[in-house]
Amino acid sequence: MNFELTFREADATLKTVTINALPMAQILAQKPSLDARNRLAEEKYTFKLQDDIALLKVKSFQPEKALSYRKFLANAFKQLQDQKVQALLLDLRDNGGGYPEATWQLLRYLIDEPVQASLVEYAMVDQIPAPHDFEEEMFFKHFHRQKKVFVDSMFEIKGAQRILKPYKKAYRGPLYVLMNAASASATGEFLGQLKTHTEAVFMGEEAGSNPVSQSASDLLKLTLPNSKIRVVIPAIQSISRVDFPNDGHGIRPDVECIPSIESVLAGEDELLVKALQMVHAQK
């Protein structure tokens, strides 16, 4: 089996190539070496100092242990304060999101005044119809525990307008945010907060989710009785408090940098190199 791939070159010309398919056994045999080169195989949270530049990588907002995540952030920003770095590079590439609460923990280290992240959260119903059809897991139980008030044909979630206060060790210096199309879901919301409440410079590719309106809270799951297809239904709509309109796009970069196929295959990080060059140029 072969795959025919058509793509557009940088000069806008179309090019078509044929790629030979690999047997599954060969793919599995190569997987360990591929994972070693792949950014997805890296640790979820890393922090390091490179001269007077700090690099903070957060690859998920779904920490396995919330306490460990909070300790990691506290330690990272204590080092930032102690070292007095020239700039912070926050790498959110391939971060597919997670819990809003995890994004708020990080946001509180990057703002200089109180922030109301959410404008409103609401549902169209206050009780799940035919609840016996749904899986009674975390989101199912969470939906019923939340207090709702009927306002203008919908049920608003009480307590959604949380006020986030900056931490004492919050970072106040230059901030560069690295992102790509896989920076999605809660990460997209977080990027919207950074755009509204900080002077961050966004670099890379357009983020992969809407920073104004989201519908990924309390995802209800059921299996259709005849086809056995599993369905996921978002039960709550969330609107962020940001200072830009909903145009259907993710956060766009101030400095666009789309890695070439050659650099990816060579294990090079074009965006990180460009970000470091920009920081050094500002000195």
Side-chain angles (χ1 to χ4, degrees):
M1 179 186 293
N2 297 323
F3 296 95
E4 190 175 90
L5 177 64
T6 300
F7 58 93
R8 193 178 300 278
E9 296 273 20
D11 62 1
T13 59
L14 289 176
K15 184 176 181 180
T16 299
V17 296
T18 299
I19 302 174
N20 296 328
L22 296 178
M24 180 58 69
Q26 187 174 346
I27 293 174
L28 293 176
Q30 293 181 3
K31 190 174 187 300
S33 62
L34 291 173
D35 283 344
R37 297 193 330 225
N38 196 317
R39 287 200 304 268
L40 293 174
E42 296 178 359
E43 294 182 49
K44 283 186 176 181
Y45 316 109
T46 59
F47 177 80
K48 63 180 180 180
L49 296 171
Q50 186 170 315
D51 297 326
D52 57 353
I53 300 174
L55 286 78
L56 173 61
K57 180 176 291 188
V58 180
K59 292 183 65 65
S60 172
F61 285 118
Q62 194 166 351
E64 296 172 2
K65 296 181 179 178
L67 182 59
S68 297
Y69 171 72
R70 290 197 295 269
K71 286 182 177 179
F72 164 78
L73 291 179
N75 180 62
F77 282 90
K78 183 179 185 303
Q79 291 185 62
L80 276 174
Q81 191 176 58
D82 294 343
Q83 298 295 326
K84 294 181 171 51
V85 299
Q86 174 75 15
L88 169 61
L89 272 57
L90 175 58
D91 191 347
L92 298 176
R93 287 174 293 177
D94 303 321
N95 186 332
Y99 303 120
E101 292 81 2
T103 72
W104 298 339
Q105 286 289 329
L106 178 53
L107 183 63
R108 294 179 66 186
Y109 282 106
L110 299 171
I111 55 178
D112 57 10
E113 60 183 7
V115 164
Q116 180 184 321
S118 177
L119 181 64
V120 64
E121 293 182 359
Y122 64 89
M124 302 309 296
V125 297
D126 62 341
Q127 297 289 327
I128 300 173
H132 54 275
D133 290 336
F134 292 84
E135 298 176 17
E136 291 196 36
E137 38 71 83
M138 177 182 67
F139 288 125
F140 180 94
K141 297 175 182 177
H142 186 253
F143 180 84
H144 283 292
R145 283 199 300 265
Q146 295 193 92
K147 294 182 179 179
K148 309 171 189 69
V149 180
F150 187 73
V151 179
D152 295 333
S153 76
M154 60 187 183
F155 294 90
E156 290 191 6
I157 309 301
K158 290 191 66 176
Q161 297 79 18
R162 301 171 182 85
I163 303 299
L164 308 177
K165 297 181 179 180
Y167 286 123
K168 292 182 180 179
K169 291 184 173 60
Y171 173 72
R172 302 285 190 265
L175 174 63
Y176 296 79
V177 180
L178 313 186
M179 61 187 189
N180 61 11
S183 304
S185 193
T187 304
E189 297 179 50
F190 176 67
L191 290 169
Q193 296 299 323
L194 290 182
K195 183 176 178 64
T196 297
H197 301 292
T198 74
E199 299 297 324
V201 176
F202 297 92
M203 303 184 65
E205 307 169 58
E206 180 180 336
S209 64
N210 192 315
V212 181
S213 175
Q214 309 83 29
S215 57
S217 297
D218 288 15
L219 302 174
L220 308 179
K221 303 173 184 177
L222 77 159
T223 301
L224 299 179
N226 296 322
S227 65
K228 305 303 179 184
I229 295 174
R230 295 190 76 241
V231 178
V232 178
I233 302 174
I236 294 176
Q237 179 81 5
S238 177
I239 308 297
S240 295
R241 182 180 286 278
V242 292
D243 62 1
F244 51 87
N246 184 358
D247 62 1
H249 282 272
I251 295 299
R252 295 182 175 95
D254 301 305
V255 180
E256 187 176 60
C257 181
I258 301 176
S260 66
I261 294 175
E262 291 77 16
S263 68
V264 172
L265 293 176
E268 301 169 350
D269 194 336
E270 288 184 64
L271 179 54
L272 179 58
V273 170
K274 189 165 188 175
L276 291 170
Q277 290 174 343
M278 285 190 61
V279 174
H280 287 302
Q282 298 298 321
K283 293 184 179 181

